[in-house]
Amino acid sequence: MTTPSRLPEPYGQASGANLADILERVLDKGVVIAGDIRINLLDIELLTIKLRLIVASVDKAKEMGIDWWESDPALSSRARRDELARENAELRERLARLEELEPGRAPKEAP
Amino acid sequence: MTGLRYVYAVCRPLGAPLQAELTGVAGAPPGLLHHHGLVAVVSTVPEADFGEEALKAHLEDLDWLAATARAHQGVVDALTTVTTPLPLRLATVFRDDSAVRVMIEAREDHFRALLDRLDGRVEWGVKVYAEEAAAEPAGAAAASSAKPVSGRDYLRRRRERGQAKEETWQRAERFAHGLHERLSARAEDFRLHPPQNSALSRAAGLNVLNAAYLVPRAHSEEFVELVDRTKDEEPGFRVELTGPWAAYSFTGDTGDTGGTGDTGSAGDTAGAADAGEGVS
């Protein structure tokens, strides 16, 4: 308190802080008192935290290479599933044709 | 009376008056409620907006929440220029003045202990963003849109991406850790908060350090300079300083040093003292 003039000005610079910083503090931090009116502040806290978690967990999973939902036909559009099925059928057909041509070698390569 | 009492902060009697033009939540000027040698900074808010049901609904409205949060923070900010306030959490509302007095009496020892500990100190927020790491997903998306020509090609690309990411992470970790070591050596206490998600904060880059430091006012200039000096130290990283804040992150408990980053539990410890918290 003895050297307030030595602080960088303007002192109230936090008022220009971004909303995420302000919300982070006024919603999650500070002294917690349940007032007379029992607003369950834990509700909003949970809400924001949940939102964060949902977004974060998707990022985190991708970062770890778990991105199966992007290529899983069951999770992508029907068009894509159809295309894969068609491609699959085509490949099976070609494989069958190859097996007919060289019956001796086909079983070895199967695995 | 249809007004409720909104409490922003608790502090010791002020040496200087509050700014005359200061307005708080719902546009009302904050006033001081003296009790037992402590001061609650309060203003009147309409019951229509701050009654239990209305408030619950409002809190889901991001515009309303933003305006209220800024007003709350504006008052706490103004207080920080003249004293060391204990900021209360947003939307702490009481029926009337006597309910505020009862609250002060119930917690006065706790308030005094906290005020003693925080007197003359402010909180500085320091965040480190890794700019490359955030640019990565965009690059990755571009790469995957150009269809890999074969399975092997796909795996190779994925491995390269993984390695680049790993290196960026290691650099981010080293830089953030080194900075934190230096800053915490100059601070009395610190809290490591969970990184902010860029989807929510809309800040560019990936937040790899989100810390709060408790610093005496007298050492603040030095602290700010130290942060400033790191700004261009390492390419690819951005250091952001916010503050001075009221000691929001340090009001949850009384003595332990942070470190685990779990301030939520620190807050809960304080909250557990009053019966109201247990309900939920």
Side-chain angles (χ1 to χ4, degrees):
Chain A
M1 283 301 276
T2 50
T3 56
S5 60
R6 286 173 55 81
L7 274 172
E9 293 297 333
Y11 202 157
Q13 125 190 33
S15 56
N18 77 44
L19 185 61
D21 279 338
I22 293 175
L23 286 180
E24 179 176 52
R25 284 179 167 80
V26 307
L27 284 183
D28 285 359
K29 296 167 186 102
V31 181
V32 183
I33 295 169
D36 257 18
I37 310 282
R38 289 276 164 77
I39 300 304
N40 191 350
L41 260 177
L42 295 175
D43 276 356
I44 32 169
E45 192 180 24
L46 273 178
L47 191 128
T48 59
I49 286 172
K50 258 187 208 153
L51 190 54
R52 266 184 238 158
L53 281 181
I54 290 165
V55 182
S57 60
V58 172
D59 285 354
K60 188 80 199 166
K62 278 195 183 176
E63 185 184 293
M64 287 157 58
I66 306 170
D67 51 3
W68 46 264
W69 61 79
E70 288 181 338
S71 53
D72 190 326
L75 291 169
S76 76
S77 69
R78 178 163 288 276
R80 167 140 191 185
R81 197 191 315 177
D82 290 348
E83 200 200 333
L84 279 173
R86 192 186 49 74
E87 206 175 321
N88 198 1
E90 195 185 313
L91 286 169
R92 276 172 196 277
E93 207 178 303
R94 284 178 64 184
L95 185 63
R97 257 185 279 138
L98 285 170
E99 279 173 342
E100 272 175 46
L101 287 172
E102 294 182 89
R105 284 181 57 190
K108 264 191 235 166
E109 290 197 345
Chain B
M1 280 268 293
T2 55
L4 298 169
R5 286 289 179 278
Y6 184 106
V7 186
Y8 300 87
V10 172
C11 43
R12 296 204 187 273
L14 308 185
L18 278 176
Q19 295 159 234
E21 71 277 18
L22 189 64
T23 54
V25 168
L32 307 178
L33 182 87
H34 289 256
H35 193 60
H36 283 213
L38 293 168
V39 176
V41 182
V42 302
S43 69
T44 304
V45 289
E47 188 153 6
D49 286 331
F50 287 83
E52 190 160 352
E53 288 310 309
L55 188 47
K56 237 176 198 154
H58 275 320
L59 289 171
E60 311 249 325
D61 172 353
L62 194 62
D63 290 337
W64 190 92
L65 181 64
T68 308
R70 284 194 190 279
H72 177 102
Q73 171 57 20
V75 172
V76 171
D77 230 12
L79 284 168
T80 311
T81 65
V82 293
T83 186
T84 302
L86 296 182
L88 300 197
R89 213 191 255 199
L90 187 83
T92 305
V93 180
F94 295 85
R95 289 261 160 229
D96 52 26
D97 284 351
S98 74
V100 179
R101 289 196 187 92
V102 169
M103 179 275 288
I104 291 178
E105 279 175 34
R107 305 172 66 102
E108 66 177 297
D109 291 344
H110 180 233
F111 285 152
R112 280 180 217 284
L114 268 174
L115 282 164
D116 284 344
R117 173 166 175 259
L118 299 175
D119 186 42
R121 286 132 176 114
V122 289
E123 170 176 333
W124 292 94
V126 177
K127 292 204 282 294
V128 173
Y129 293 93
E131 269 147 358
E132 305 165 33
E136 254 292 310
S144 63
S145 69
K147 226 178 178 183
V149 292
S150 67
R152 189 178 299 160
D153 183 40
Y154 169 78
L155 288 173
R156 181 183 53 78
R157 281 196 210 176
R158 208 169 98 163
R159 193 172 56 241
E160 282 170 2
R161 235 185 293 154
Q163 278 168 355
K165 200 159 244 179
E166 182 64 23
E167 272 163 38
T168 306
W169 276 112
Q170 282 179 2
R171 260 174 18 95
E173 172 106 17
R174 259 199 312 275
F175 177 67
H177 190 258
L179 178 63
H180 172 65
E181 294 260 283
R182 273 183 288 165
L183 295 179
S184 53
R186 303 292 185 90
E188 281 188 5
D189 202 352
F190 65 86
R191 291 285 182 277
L192 295 175
H193 298 318
Q196 285 181 353
N197 191 288
S198 56
L200 298 177
S201 68
R202 287 156 192 258
L206 187 76
N207 188 199
V208 292
L209 176 75
N210 183 14
Y213 299 90
L214 186 68
V215 181
R217 286 166 191 268
H219 300 160
S220 280
E221 196 181 14
E222 203 185 319
F223 185 85
V224 172
E225 277 167 14
L226 181 60
V227 176
D228 274 344
R229 256 180 281 142
T230 63
K231 282 200 168 150
D232 306 310
E233 214 169 72
E234 187 89 10
F237 297 105
R238 192 171 82 252
V239 180
E240 264 183 24
L241 177 75
T242 59
W245 299 87
Y248 277 103
S249 304
F250 302 92
T251 54
D253 52 81
T254 42
D256 71 333
T257 49
T260 59
D262 190 356
T263 47
S265 69
D268 292 347
T269 317
D274 61 358
E277 284 295 303
V279 177
S280 47

